[in-house]
Amino acid sequence: MKSRLPLKIAYAIGQFGWSLASFGVANLLNYFYMPPDNGEHSLFPNFIFQGFVMGLFTILGLISFTGRFFDGIWDTYIAQRSDKAVSKFGRRRIFMIWGIFPFAISSLLIFYPISLNTDLNTLWLIAMTIIFYVSMTLYVVPYSALMSELAEDPKDRLFISTLISVTWAAGSVVGNLVYSLEDYFSKSMSHVDAFQLTMLLFTIIATLAMLVPILFINEEKHCKQMDDRHDYHFLVAVKKVFQNRAFKNFIISDLAYWTAVSIIQIGMVYYVHVLLKLELKTVTEVFTGIYLLSFSLYVPIVWIANRLGKRRTQIISFWMTIVVYLLIACLGKLPFASSFMQIAIIGIIIAFPLATFGIILNAIVGDIIDKILNTGGDAARLCFMLFDLL
C-alpha cells in the first residue's frame, strides 16, 4: 500500500477539486440568487424572479430540479460509455479530460448573470446549470470508477475511501471560506464583484486539483484492467439491485440523510445572518469548526463502529441529526445561550453524523455489493452508480 501511496494521494486530490468545483452550485445558488436579508439590506440585486411559480415552486428550485434530472439520465449513459470505451489515454481519463474544463467554467459562469433582466438571467442560469451537471458527470462518474480499479483489495479500497472522504471535506472547508473572503474583498469593491472574484479563485484551484489524477495516474500501468465492455443490461440490473432489501433500505436512508445535511448546509447562512443577526464571516468560522471537529472524530467513530456495528452507529447519527433540526427551529429563541453559542452547539452535534457518514457509507455499500455479486457484475456496478448519484 505504501509504495502506491503517492498515486492514492493524487487520486484523492481530484476529489478535493471536484468537491470545490461543485460547492458553489450545491450550496451557494440560493445565497447568490435569493440572498439573505437581515432587515437592513440585501447583499445582491434580484437577478431572477423571487416569487413563487404556480404558488408552490421557485425559479431556482425548478432550475435545480431540471439540472439534477439531466444529471440522473446522463450518469447512466456516461457510466455505460466509460465501461465500453477504448482509448490509449485510458477509458476513464479520456472522459475526465473532456469534462474538466466545461465543468469548471460552467461552475463559475453560473454566478455571472448576463444582465439585470430577470428573464434573460433565468434562461442563462438554466443553460449553465445543464452544462454544469452534464460536464460534472463526464468527470465524476469515470473518476469514481477509478477507485475500485486503483485499489488492490477491499482493505485498500476502504483506505482510498477514507482519503477521498477527507479531501471531499477539505473542499467543503475551502468552499465555506467564501463568506470571509467576500467580506474581505467587499471592502474595496461591491459584494457582487467580491463574491465573483472569490468564485474565480475557487475555480482556478479546483481545476488544478482535478487535473492531478488525470496527469499522474496511468490506467494501463497503475489500475486493474477489467473487461466491462460486454453489453450492460441496465433494466435487468435495476431489477436485481432492488430485489435486495438491504440495498433498498440503505439507499432510502442515504438519500434522507444527505437531503437533511444539504438543507443544513444551504440554510446555514440564513440561520447565522437572518435568525441570529451575526456577521456573514461567522458562517465560515462555524463550518471550519464543524469539519475540523469531524476530522478529529474519525478514529473514535471507527472504534465505535467496530464495537456497535455500522448500522447502530448510523442510527445514533440519525438521532443526532434530528436533535440538530429541533435546535434549528429554536434558533434565536434559546434564553440560556448567546447567538454564537446557539449555532456552535448545532455545529458540535452535527460533526458526529458528518464524520460517521463520511467514513462508513462506502464501507456499507461495499458490504452489500459483496453479498449480491452473484447477481452479476452489472448489478454490482449499478449499486455503486446509484450510491454516487444520490
Side-chain angles (χ1 to χ4, degrees):
M1 183 186 294
K2 291 183 179 179
S3 63
R4 292 167 58 88
L5 182 60
L7 290 174
K8 294 161 188 171
I9 293 175
Y11 177 78
I13 290 173
Q15 176 77 59
F16 168 81
W18 81 254
S19 172
L20 182 58
S22 62
F23 180 86
V25 175
N27 297 282
L28 300 174
L29 273 181
N30 283 74
Y31 172 67
F32 186 72
Y33 284 103
M34 300 186 73
D37 186 346
N38 64 2
E40 298 176 3
H41 64 279
S42 181
L43 294 175
F44 310 118
N46 293 333
F47 290 113
I48 62 172
F49 177 62
Q50 301 291 298
F52 290 98
V53 178
M54 296 181 290
L56 183 61
F57 308 102
T58 64
I59 292 291
L60 201 56
L62 291 173
I63 291 173
S64 297
F65 173 79
T66 301
R68 293 302 298 178
F69 176 78
F70 275 94
D71 181 42
I73 296 174
W74 191 241
D75 269 5
T76 305
Y77 177 74
I78 294 302
Q80 296 179 60
R81 299 306 302 173
S82 179
D83 281 348
K84 297 177 182 179
V86 178
S87 171
K88 62 181 180 180
F89 194 69
R91 59 175 175 165
R92 309 302 185 191
R93 289 192 301 160
I94 190 63
F95 281 88
M96 291 164 66
I97 198 66
W98 285 343
I100 182 173
F101 295 108
F103 176 22
I105 293 170
S106 62
S107 73
L108 176 64
L109 293 182
I110 277 178
F111 297 103
Y112 277 77
I114 57 178
S115 75
L116 291 178
N117 184 296
T118 58
D119 292 335
L120 288 177
N121 286 336
T122 299
L123 294 175
W124 172 258
L125 188 55
I126 291 171
M128 287 299 104
T129 301
I130 292 173
I131 293 172
F132 169 83
Y133 280 112
V134 167
S135 55
M136 183 176 74
T137 295
L138 283 172
Y139 185 90
V140 172
V141 169
Y143 173 86
S144 299
L146 269 179
M147 184 176 77
S148 59
E149 296 169 3
L150 186 63
E152 299 173 6
D153 50 51
K155 184 178 179 180
D156 201 21
R157 187 173 67 214
L158 182 58
F159 175 73
I160 296 174
S161 176
T162 302
L163 279 182
I164 64 175
S165 173
V166 171
T167 51
W168 175 86
S172 295
V173 170
V174 174
N176 278 296
L177 291 175
V178 62
Y179 308 105
S180 292
L181 291 174
E182 180 201 329
D183 182 66
Y184 175 77
F185 292 140
S186 65
K187 294 175 183 178
S188 58
M189 59 184 73
S190 70
H191 275 284
V192 173
D193 290 339
F195 179 85
Q196 291 174 336
L197 176 58
T198 303
M199 297 309 297
L200 174 61
L201 294 175
F202 287 174
T203 299
I204 294 171
I205 295 170
T207 304
L208 293 175
M210 287 191 290
L211 278 171
V212 171
I214 295 174
L215 295 176
F216 292 99
I217 296 177
N218 185 318
E219 289 181 56
E220 183 177 352
K221 181 180 178 181
H222 301 134
C223 298
K224 293 180 291 186
Q225 301 302 307
M226 301 179 181
D227 185 13
D228 294 331
R229 297 183 180 89
H230 56 281
D231 289 335
Y232 188 94
H233 302 292
F234 179 74
L235 293 179
V236 174
V238 168
K239 182 178 179 181
K240 290 180 179 179
V241 165
F242 283 99
Q243 284 175 345
N244 185 279
R245 182 178 178 182
F247 186 75
K248 284 191 294 185
N249 292 339
F250 172 78
I251 284 292
I252 293 170
S253 64
D254 182 54
L255 178 61
Y257 169 76
W258 285 111
T259 299
V261 168
S262 294
I263 292 172
I264 293 173
Q265 288 180 321
I266 294 171
M268 186 63 74
V269 65
Y270 299 91
Y271 309 150
V272 169
H273 192 56
V274 178
L275 294 181
L276 297 176
K277 309 295 184 183
L278 297 171
E279 295 182 358
L280 281 172
K281 63 181 181 180
T282 306
V283 181
T284 298
E285 297 169 359
V286 171
F287 271 119
T288 301
I290 288 173
Y291 283 108
L292 289 177
L293 179 57
S294 177
F295 289 153
S296 71
L297 291 172
Y298 272 30
V299 173
I301 285 173
V302 170
W303 184 87
I304 292 171
N306 285 335
R307 280 151 182 79
L308 297 182
K310 301 184 187 75
R311 179 175 175 273
R312 288 180 179 176
T313 307
Q314 267 192 305
I315 291 173
I316 292 172
S317 296
F318 278 129
W319 279 110
M320 294 180 77
T321 306
I322 291 172
V323 170
V324 166
Y325 267 89
L326 292 175
L327 289 174
I328 288 174
C330 300
L331 281 177
K333 304 174 183 177
L334 300 176
F336 58 84
S338 66
S339 294
F340 183 81
M341 185 57 64
Q342 291 180 48
I343 202 66
I345 291 171
I346 287 175
I348 291 169
I349 297 174
I350 199 62
F352 185 92
L354 280 176
T356 299
F357 285 87
I359 294 171
I360 68 175
L361 283 185
N362 282 305
I364 291 175
V365 77
D367 292 342
I368 294 172
I369 287 172
D370 284 342
K371 296 293 185 181
I372 63 173
L373 276 175
N374 60 347
T375 65
D378 288 349
R381 284 199 308 277
L382 183 64
C383 282
F384 274 117
M385 187 186 71
L386 290 172
F387 174 55
D388 288 334
L389 174 61
L390 293 175

